Amino acid sequence: LSAINLHDPALPQQIGEILDRHRLDKRHVTLEITESAIMQEPERCLDILNALNDMGMYLSVDDFGTGYSSLSYLKRLPVKELKIDRSFVSEMIDDKDDAMIVRSTIDLAHNLGLATVAEGVETAQVLERLREMGCDQAQGYLISRPLSPDDLFSYMASGEWQLVRDSAEDLANTL
């Protein structure tokens, strides 16, 4: 969601209508909000985010650590997840400062009851280090390049990241 979206009081209703129109289960949708978008007008954004949270939407703070966030706002946001920016993740093996930022972000998120997602995972070494640090999820080219919807369902139903075929078909039918 952009900063413009977060200033639109009709956003929660619009999202609800889209979910209903396409028969999407909100459990399969994550709305990402960049840290900088939240910090532009945090009080105003908080109202919209609370309304989305009340609808049962899963909210994630994207690019955490790259903006000028205030921890006092972070603890008030109804988010469930922090996404650690790729600029820290991609160099964490060779840069001890980046590794410390990633570890600290994971610890902070977990202490606040939030899940973590590391962006920009491109090597098995980085993925293993993230596992050791307790990161909950990872995304990046190591896992997959961007996929079309058809390729996504094939990918989910086969290979190293295999889901139960019935679950993938159920998800495809939902969409």
Side-chain angles (χ1 to χ4, degrees):
L1 300 175
S2 72
I4 293 170
N5 296 132
L6 292 175
H7 294 124
D8 181 357
L11 179 67
Q13 180 182 344
Q14 292 169 345
I15 289 176
E17 290 170 359
I18 291 168
L19 292 172
D20 290 344
R21 182 172 53 245
H22 296 284
R23 297 187 317 257
L24 293 173
D25 185 336
K26 60 186 160 225
R27 293 176 301 160
H28 301 296
V29 178
T30 298
L31 299 176
E32 294 183 5
I33 308 102
T34 62
E35 177 184 8
S36 58
I38 295 168
M39 296 315 298
Q40 285 184 7
E41 288 188 60
E43 290 301 326
R44 191 170 180 184
C45 294
L46 192 57
D47 292 337
I48 302 293
L49 294 175
N50 279 325
L52 292 168
N53 184 61
D54 291 346
M55 292 171 53
M57 298 302 306
Y58 192 90
L59 303 173
S60 176
V61 177
D62 194 20
D63 299 337
F64 183 75
T66 61
Y68 301 99
S69 68
S70 164
L71 295 178
S72 66
Y73 283 113
L74 178 61
K75 72 179 188 176
R76 293 175 48 204
L77 294 174
V79 297
K80 306 280 191 264
E81 173 180 277
L82 290 183
K83 295 185 78 176
I84 306 165
D85 190 71
R86 68 174 289 113
S87 62
F88 303 116
V89 173
S90 63
E91 299 297 321
M92 64 183 267
I93 298 300
D94 298 321
D95 185 325
K96 64 182 177 186
D97 292 334
D98 281 349
M100 184 60 66
I101 289 169
V102 170
R103 175 179 291 286
S104 297
T105 303
I106 291 168
D107 290 345
L108 172 67
H110 288 167
N111 287 333
L112 291 171
L114 304 175
T116 54
V117 179
E119 298 179 310
V121 177
E122 297 184 7
T123 68
Q125 187 179 16
V126 167
L127 182 62
E128 182 55 35
R129 185 75 179 109
L130 289 165
R131 281 186 181 128
E132 292 168 4
M133 291 179 170
C135 188
D136 300 298
Q137 296 179 36
Q139 68 182 57
Y141 287 168
L142 176 67
I143 298 162
S144 177
R145 300 266 181 192
L147 299 171
S148 70
D150 289 338
D151 290 339
L152 172 65
F153 292 119
S154 296
Y155 174 78
M156 290 171 54
S158 65
E160 180 180 355
W161 311 99
Q162 182 175 5
L163 293 177
V164 176
R165 188 171 308 279
D166 292 341
S167 295
E169 288 171 0
D170 287 346
L171 180 59
N173 291 334
T174 302
L175 298 175

